[in-house]
Amino acid sequence: MITAENYHIETTHISKSGLDKINNSPAHYYHHYLNPRRHIIDDNEQTPEQFLGQVFHCALLEPHLFTKRYLVLKQKIDRRTREGRELWFKYMKAAKGKELVKQDIYEKAMWMIKSVRRNPIAAQLFQSGVAEEIHTGIDPTTGVACKIRTDWRTPDNIIVDLKSALDASCVLN
């Protein structure tokens, strides 16, 4: 069974991300999903922007899980000082496996959620629905087992793919 916890490591089904890796090259897919040493040589470190998107995603779509996954730092900590390192250690101990979120990242995520809720179309889409549903199936043409994890599905079966961006302005050519 595919769960939220094993979705990204489960390899009996292929996702859109897996197809993107294959489109780049089969070697890219192998390295990312099948190579037994992939966890040792993982080159997919998360950028600060991706972390912000992850925090935003959880806070908007699964707010009931936010405090289980994250601990927000209520103050700036200078880890170059002894006091800062001690305070950091206390936060790390209190986190108990949760990811630490700096206050400015948390505030940006909350601002982004307010922005979504101010948009009439987005506000209606996110009024009610189901987050993070996993669906599987067999492609009838190829016979390949496929999987998808939808960000959001409304009661009317509208699938919403939530994205965050540093700049959402229109680019004109």
Side-chain angles (χ1 to χ4, degrees):
M1 178 178 181
I2 303 174
T3 64
E5 292 75 30
N6 74 1
Y7 182 84
H8 293 290
I9 60 171
E10 189 275 339
T11 58
T12 61
H13 295 74
I14 193 159
S15 66
K16 193 243 184 234
S17 299
L19 291 172
D20 288 343
K21 295 283 185 196
I22 288 175
N23 190 44
N24 198 354
S25 80
H28 283 86
Y29 179 84
Y30 175 83
H31 170 73
H32 190 82
Y33 293 101
L34 303 176
N35 184 348
R37 295 177 42 86
R38 69 185 175 274
H39 301 295
I40 299 167
I41 55 177
D42 188 9
D43 58 355
N44 293 316
E45 198 167 308
Q46 193 175 49
T47 66
E49 292 79 16
Q50 289 170 325
F51 183 66
L52 170 60
Q54 180 183 309
V55 170
F56 164 60
H57 195 274
C58 182
L60 177 66
L61 301 181
E62 300 177 295
H64 60 286
L65 297 177
F66 190 84
T67 58
K68 293 177 183 174
R69 293 180 183 164
Y70 302 103
L71 177 64
V72 178
L73 297 171
K74 299 294 183 187
Q75 62 195 91
K76 214 173 182 116
I77 299 174
D78 184 355
R79 290 190 283 168
R80 295 173 296 176
T81 67
R82 188 172 135 237
E83 295 82 15
R85 285 189 299 276
E86 288 173 1
L87 187 56
W88 180 259
F89 178 74
K90 287 179 184 176
Y91 266 106
M92 292 297 291
K93 191 174 178 182
K96 296 180 184 165
K98 298 176 188 179
E99 290 191 70
L100 295 177
V101 179
K102 293 179 182 175
Q103 185 68 31
D104 63 321
I105 298 295
Y106 177 74
E107 289 172 5
K108 282 180 189 175
M110 294 304 106
W111 180 86
M112 292 162 67
I113 289 170
K114 286 178 187 172
S115 180
V116 167
R117 295 206 169 113
R118 279 193 304 264
N119 179 292
I121 296 169
Q124 185 176 0
L125 286 170
F126 289 109
Q127 190 171 13
S128 66
V130 180
E132 303 295 344
E133 273 187 323
I134 297 171
H135 301 273
T136 60
I138 304 296
D139 182 300
T141 305
T142 64
V144 172
C146 300
K147 64 183 176 181
I148 183 173
R149 184 173 173 187
T150 57
D151 287 341
W152 188 257
R153 182 181 55 81
T154 70
D156 298 331
N157 290 320
I158 297 171
I159 303 295
V160 181
D161 188 20
L162 184 65
K163 298 292 181 204
S164 57
L166 293 177
D167 183 358
S169 62
C170 184
V171 178
L172 301 174
N173 292 332

